């Protein structure tokens, strides 16, 4: 598996950097010698950190079903940020497909509420406020990163290093603030088994693939690919663990597939059609 990953990433690295020497030069200039560029990529890292904490706060103060539904608003929020920040227009069909995808993901992940004897005090007002901030952070950070990636010739790999360096600093501060005593007692890597390292590796490769999707398509397409991944992982759970497919999952899968198809449809050139109609009308009036 590792060899296959490397065989895919190597041509992409060559396409982005040209050579190992050029990559090292770019790394030295844009990471070590350019604090401004490093600070530029620290913005999405900080915003993502806020998003994760707000999502946790929202889940602590909302029912799981309510959280699940409202958090999917990040999909249309990402589309809105794409329009506002990148000056990119979406057709009516694409907007419909975005909201269709939102509904499909909700249905795919839907689980009926179960009664519990544990009573937890919740603040719905705080929960909805936190989910709103998380949704806005998700849309803004993703589109901001896309804008930075596509607005310069800096390598995709260098941009990833710039963002994750600041992300490591932010998360380390958070870890030591929350679990500093346990880390001092047991060590930072306590509990890291081979399975944990393998999951970290998969998450890292997934992050690189996500950056490639954002660089060569856009954040909206990233949302569509994430929805397709949810569907595929659920199908894999059916095959591997005997998970039962529900009606809501089947309907959600259908919506996701249809929305992906509609979003990928080529746009109709309405200008040429209108010009043709105008010319035909002119010939008719001349007759």
């Amino acid at each position: 598996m590792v060899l296959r990953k490397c065989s895919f990433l190597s041509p992409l690295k060559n396409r982005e950097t040209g050579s190992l020497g050029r990559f090292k030069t770019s790394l030295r200039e844009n990471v070590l010698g350019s604090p401004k560029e490093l600070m530029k990529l620290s913005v999405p890292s900080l915003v993502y950190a806020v998003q994760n904490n707000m999502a946790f706060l929202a889940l602590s103060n909302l029912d799981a079903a309510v959280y699940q539904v409202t958090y999917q608003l990040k999909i249309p929020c990402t589309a809105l940020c794409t329009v506002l920040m990148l000056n990119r227009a979406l057709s009516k069909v694409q907007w419909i497909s975005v909201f269709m995808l939102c509904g499909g993901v909700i249905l795919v992940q839907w689980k009926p509420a179960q009664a519990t004897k544990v009573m937890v005090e919740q603040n719905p007002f705080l929960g909805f406020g936190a989910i709103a901030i998380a949704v806005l952070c998700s849309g803004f950070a993703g589109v901001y990163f896309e804008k930075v990636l596509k607005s310069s010739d800096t390598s995709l790999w260098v941009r990833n290093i710039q963002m994750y360096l600041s992300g490591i600093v932010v998360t380390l501060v958070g870890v030591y603030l929350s679990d500093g005593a346990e880390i001092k007692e047991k060590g930072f890597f306590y509990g890291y088994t081979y399975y944990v390292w393998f999951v970290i590796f998969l998450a890292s490769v997934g992050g690189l693939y996500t950056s490639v999707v954002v660089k060569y398509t856009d954040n909206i397409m990233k949302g569509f690919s994430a929805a397709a991944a949810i569907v595929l992982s659920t199908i894999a759970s059916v095959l591997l663990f005997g998970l039962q497919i529900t009606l809501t999952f089947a309907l959600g899968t259908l919506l996701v597939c249809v929305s992906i198809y509609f979003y990928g449809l080529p746009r109709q050139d309405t200008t040429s059609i209108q010009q043709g109609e105008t010319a035909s009308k002119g010939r008719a009036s001349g007759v």
Side-chain angles (χ1 to χ4, degrees), residues 75 97 100-109 223-232 249-263:
I75 298 174
S97 64
M100 189 182 297
L101 176 71
C102 184
V105 173
I106 291 172
L107 290 176
V108 166
Q109 295 184 316
F224 279 88
S225 60
I230 293 172
V231 173
L232 292 176
F249 173 79
L251 292 175
T253 301
L254 179 62
L255 281 177
V256 168
C257 294
V258 172
S259 65
I260 291 173
Y261 171 76
F262 278 133
Y263 187 82

Side-chain angles (χ1 to χ4, degrees), residues 30-31 44 49-50 52 56 70 90 92 94 100 107 117 148 160 178 180 196 202 213 226 235 244 250 269 281:
N30 293 284
V31 177
V50 173
N52 293 332
F56 178 78
T70 53
L90 298 181
K92 291 181 180 180
Q94 287 179 319
M100 189 182 297
L107 290 176
K117 295 181 179 179
V148 172
N160 271 297
S178 60
V196 174
L202 291 180
V213 172
I235 294 175
Q244 297 295 320
D269 190 356
K281 287 180 182 179

Side-chain angles (χ1 to χ4, degrees), residues 174-193:
V175 166
Y176 275 97
L177 287 177
S178 60
D179 301 311
E182 293 187 13
I183 292 174
K184 290 179 181 179
E185 179 183 353
K186 300 178 180 179
F188 187 86
F189 295 104
Y190 175 78
Y192 277 58
T193 64

